[in-house]
């Protein structure tokens, strides 16, 4: 099957892209890496009247440190994040997560902003952004607005982005020297979507973890934070008994949803497996 006919425009600046988006309305689609959109176009799951190619918009590019935050432009590719020294130093969780995203060819083209805006609950970046307390920087006809990651992901493939808005960049607080992290996902084969995954960070002093953030992905309609387990672990001496209690709390709090190949019961079990491994890793 081939894509339905559409117009194609390639703006050079953010304001131009926003004007085109506002003019075309809900019949427009933005394209950057295109790793998801091109497939939906070819299957005619998406039939826009106009495709707005934003790959030449410089305001959406680059990785930099701005104040106490790491700023990642929406057009930064997965590979750029994987190879960035700034990311490795200031957001090592992202460095650990990047190799799990599909395959090299896809990572070379797919973008940070595209993954976040698409809101796939099985994707790595939404879970990482929630874990790291990221702020989404969004531009629209009314100017700039900022949305925390916890308010950005609303439902299955649904974010707080309006049709006439563009995700410009994300700001992530710089990691401290005391930060420890864990990222892992369980998949049938490397490069496949995860059956279940965990992105976790905490501050560590001795055998005590504080400011814990444990986010599971590919188990629900959005990334899911295990708040009960976080509260249970936070500020307490980590031992086998506490880990077992945290695992039970996470399984009780998070109601996993089945997908086409994995049952809800299997995902519920894997939530515990991942959290136990993650806590032991961060405590080591």
């Amino acid at each position: 099957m081939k894509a339905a006919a559409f117009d194609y425009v390639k703006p050079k600046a953010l304001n131009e892209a926003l004007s085109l988006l506002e003019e075309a309305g809900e019949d427009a689609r933005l394209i950057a890496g295109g790793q998801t959109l091109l497939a939906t176009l070819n299957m005619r799951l998406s039939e826009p009247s106009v495709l707005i190619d934003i790959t030449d918009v410089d305001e959406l590019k680059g990785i930099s440190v701005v104040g106490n935050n790491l700023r990642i432009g929406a057009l930064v590719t997965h590979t750029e994040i994987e190879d960035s020294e700034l990311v490795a130093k200031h957001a090592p969780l992202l460095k650990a997560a990047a190799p799990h995203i599909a395959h090299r060819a896809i990572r070379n083209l797919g973008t940070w902003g595209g993954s976040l805006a698409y809101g796939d609950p099985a994707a790595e970046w939404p879970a990482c952004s929630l874990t790291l307390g990221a702020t989404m920087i969004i531009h629209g006809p009314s100017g700039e607005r900022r949305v925390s990651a916890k308010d950005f992901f609303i439902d299955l493939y649904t974010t707080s982005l309006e049709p006439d808005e563009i995700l410009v960049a994300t700001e992530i607080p710089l990691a401290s020297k005391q930060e420890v992290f864990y990222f892992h996902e369980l998949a049938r084969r490397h490069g496949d979507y995860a059956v279940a995954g965990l992105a976790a960070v905490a501050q560590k002093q001795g055998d005590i973890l504080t400011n814990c953030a444990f986010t599971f992905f590919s188990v629900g309609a959005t990334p899911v934070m295990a708040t009960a387990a976080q509260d249970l672990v936070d500020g307490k001496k980590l031992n086998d008994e506490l880990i077992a209690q945290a695992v039970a709390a996470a399984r009780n709090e998070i109601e996993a949803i089945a997908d086409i190949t994995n049952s809800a019961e299997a995902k519920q079990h894997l939530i515990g497996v991942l959290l136990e491994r993650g806590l032991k890793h961060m405590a080591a």
Side-chain angles (χ1 to χ4, degrees):
M1 189 177 292
K2 294 182 179 179
F6 55 80
D7 292 330
Y8 173 85
V9 290
K10 194 172 186 179
K12 301 294 184 181
L14 179 59
N15 286 340
E16 184 185 357
L18 288 168
S19 296
L20 289 167
L21 196 58
E22 185 177 17
E23 180 182 338
E26 294 188 7
D27 288 334
R29 291 292 183 274
L30 299 174
I31 184 168
Q35 297 307 287
T36 298
L37 180 59
L38 289 177
T40 61
L41 289 175
N42 287 335
M43 291 185 286
R44 299 206 176 187
L45 297 174
S46 180
E47 297 186 26
S49 62
V50 58
L51 208 57
I52 303 172
D53 185 341
I54 56 175
T55 54
D56 280 352
V57 179
D58 288 338
E59 294 103 314
L60 309 182
K61 299 177 181 179
I63 302 172
S64 60
V65 173
V66 180
N68 294 321
N69 294 295
L70 181 70
R71 182 183 173 101
I72 302 177
L75 287 181
V76 171
T77 66
H78 310 316
T79 295
E80 286 177 307
I81 291 173
E82 187 175 4
D83 295 342
S84 169
E85 293 183 5
L86 285 177
V87 170
K89 179 178 180 181
H90 299 298
L93 178 71
L94 301 183
K95 173 78 173 181
H100 292 270
I101 298 174
H103 302 284
R104 173 64 72 174
I106 289 174
R107 296 200 296 274
N108 286 344
L109 293 174
T111 63
W112 167 259
S115 176
L116 295 177
Y118 189 54
D120 189 334
E124 293 80 1
W125 292 152
C128 288
S129 67
L130 182 57
T131 300
L132 294 173
T135 298
M136 311 301 176
I137 302 172
I138 297 166
H139 281 232
S142 300
E144 178 183 293
R145 68 185 183 100
R146 292 170 174 253
V147 179
S148 66
K150 65 182 179 63
D151 296 323
F152 186 74
F153 304 103
I154 297 174
D155 205 341
L156 185 66
Y157 301 112
T158 305
T159 71
S160 63
L161 269 176
E162 297 294 338
D164 56 358
E165 292 181 322
I166 296 176
L167 176 63
V168 172
T170 303
E171 289 185 349
I172 297 170
L174 302 180
S176 71
K177 293 181 180 179
Q178 290 75 41
E179 184 175 290
V180 291
F181 67 91
Y182 177 79
F183 184 93
H184 193 60
E185 63 183 59
L186 301 169
R188 298 175 70 186
R189 298 172 300 181
H190 179 74
D192 284 0
Y193 278 114
V195 177
L198 170 63
V201 297
Q203 303 297 313
K204 181 181 179 183
Q205 291 185 335
D207 52 6
I208 295 177
L209 300 181
T210 59
N211 298 322
C212 302
F214 311 144
T215 305
F216 290 91
F217 59 99
S218 202
V219 298
T222 64
V224 183
M225 188 165 277
T227 55
Q230 291 169 188
D231 293 342
L232 193 63
V233 169
D234 197 272
K236 300 182 181 70
K237 186 175 181 179
L238 203 60
N239 54 38
D240 289 344
E241 181 181 358
L242 184 58
I243 290 174
Q245 292 174 356
V247 165
R251 283 176 172 159
N252 289 334
E253 179 182 17
I254 299 172
E255 186 175 350
I257 300 174
D259 58 32
I260 60 174
T261 56
N262 303 278
S263 68
E265 291 77 13
K267 289 176 178 281
Q268 205 84 31
H269 171 71
L270 294 178
I271 286 170
V273 171
L274 286 165
L275 185 56
E276 181 177 355
R277 291 180 182 178
L279 288 172
K280 289 181 176 178
H281 174 84
M282 290 191 290

